[in-house]
Amino acid sequence: MKHTLFISDLHLCHTRPAINALFERFLRDIAPPAEALYILGDFFEYWAGDDDLSEPFHTAIAQQLSALADSGTRLYLMHGNRDFLIGAAFQRAAHITLLPDPTLIDLYGQPTLLMHGDTLCSDDVEYQAFRTQVRDPQWQQGFLATPLATRKAQIEALRQRSEQEKSSKAAEIMDVNADTVAATLRAFNYPRLIHGHTHRPAKHVHTVDGKTCERWVLKDWYASGGYLRCDAAGCVAHSLEIPAS
Ligand code: MN
């Protein structure tokens, strides 16, 4: 049966070999029969710029993706808050199409809105201000003009600060805002919604203006992995366990 897969928040990094092996298995055993694979952001732990493609780990990932694309599965990638600097060179190397956030698709007859999910977390005012800054094309141009090593060091420092902040921020601030979700569903004429980012995998059912909308939150790839499989009959979430060594 024709079907499409969705993943997000893999946070791929050379320091997490078990997850990388799990992703390789996913690409080999699960993804090939799918018509399309959508990666909805935070695919990499961080992306300092396409000039980092020559790093062997990044080259290997791009090769694995391009092999899947060449075997007939269409690949789409949406930026997350960690890998929004993925650009045209990565797109070419991985045979993947970059998608804007949000993107509305027709999924087997059902309008489906795809997002990374960070814009739904509107209670985190500080983060939204940071997001506006770093998504500005001029800011990005300036940042990418600095040496790769400098960029990596800055991102590393930022990640450490954000880890500390996360532990002091209230859990509710880090989740989606219900009004923002409702406004988004209304703006796109009550679609099904699929997003990641919050690391709170679930199927929610929202009633907005008397209309019922499913909201699927994708699983992160930390202790285990997972994906959402959708066909004409609907969506089902699957988890992927790291084999015991
Ligand atoms: Mn994220």
Side-chain angles (χ1 to χ4, degrees):
M1 193 173 192
K2 280 188 174 185
H3 64 275
T4 295
L5 304 179
F6 298 87
I7 54 174
S8 73
D9 304 284
L10 285 83
H11 293 246
L12 294 181
C13 183
H14 63 92
T15 58
R16 299 169 66 230
I19 288 296
N20 301 334
L22 192 65
F23 179 60
E24 212 171 316
R25 208 182 76 195
F26 169 79
L27 290 182
R28 192 188 61 221
D29 299 342
I30 296 166
E35 282 191 279
L37 168 65
Y38 288 83
I39 305 171
L40 299 185
D42 289 355
F43 179 54
F44 289 108
E45 176 68 11
Y46 71 89
W47 191 258
D50 279 1
D51 48 348
D52 207 11
L53 245 175
S54 52
E55 209 232 318
F57 176 68
H58 294 154
T59 308
I61 296 287
Q63 272 167 0
Q64 288 167 19
L65 289 174
S66 67
L68 177 65
D70 296 348
S71 76
T73 301
R74 297 191 312 276
L75 295 184
Y76 299 99
L77 178 75
M78 187 176 279
H79 286 146
N81 49 297
R82 293 164 172 273
D83 52 12
F84 56 86
L85 290 172
I86 289 176
F90 182 82
Q91 185 169 232
R92 276 194 303 274
H95 299 183
I96 204 160
T97 303
L98 283 170
L99 292 179
D101 181 1
T103 289
L104 186 67
I105 62 167
D106 178 328
L107 194 57
Y108 309 107
Q110 187 162 349
T112 302
L113 187 66
L114 311 178
M115 304 177 83
H116 176 54
D118 54 335
T119 53
L120 298 170
C121 301
S122 51
D123 290 333
D124 194 345
V125 175
E126 207 182 334
Y127 167 71
Q128 296 301 334
F130 170 77
R131 187 183 193 280
T132 303
Q133 181 197 353
V134 300
R135 295 300 183 100
D136 177 61
Q138 258 181 344
W139 182 90
Q140 291 188 2
Q141 218 175 36
F143 186 68
L144 289 171
T146 64
L148 180 60
T150 311
R151 271 177 271 149
K152 284 184 157 186
Q154 281 184 8
I155 291 169
E156 199 55 54
L158 199 67
R159 281 169 66 213
Q160 275 173 18
R161 213 178 66 199
S162 116
E163 282 308 309
Q164 287 161 4
E165 278 171 9
K166 252 187 231 165
S167 46
S168 66
K169 271 184 193 171
E172 307 80 64
I173 288 183
M174 312 278 286
D175 202 356
V176 300
N177 173 292
D179 294 336
T180 305
V181 170
T184 304
L185 294 171
R186 186 175 296 123
F188 286 89
N189 201 24
Y190 315 102
R192 173 203 274 144
L193 173 58
I194 301 175
H195 70 82
H197 180 67
T198 62
H199 301 213
R200 291 170 166 89
K203 176 194 179 182
H204 299 274
V205 178
H206 298 270
T207 305
V208 185
D209 307 332
K211 307 260 191 352
T212 303
C213 306
E214 284 179 7
R215 177 170 65 93
W216 291 89
V217 186
L218 301 174
K219 198 186 170 306
D220 63 50
W221 291 48
Y222 275 102
S224 57
Y227 60 96
L228 187 69
R229 182 191 188 281
C230 301
D231 59 28
C235 298
V236 178
H238 296 265
S239 55
L240 288 171
E241 300 306 320
I242 295 170
S245 52

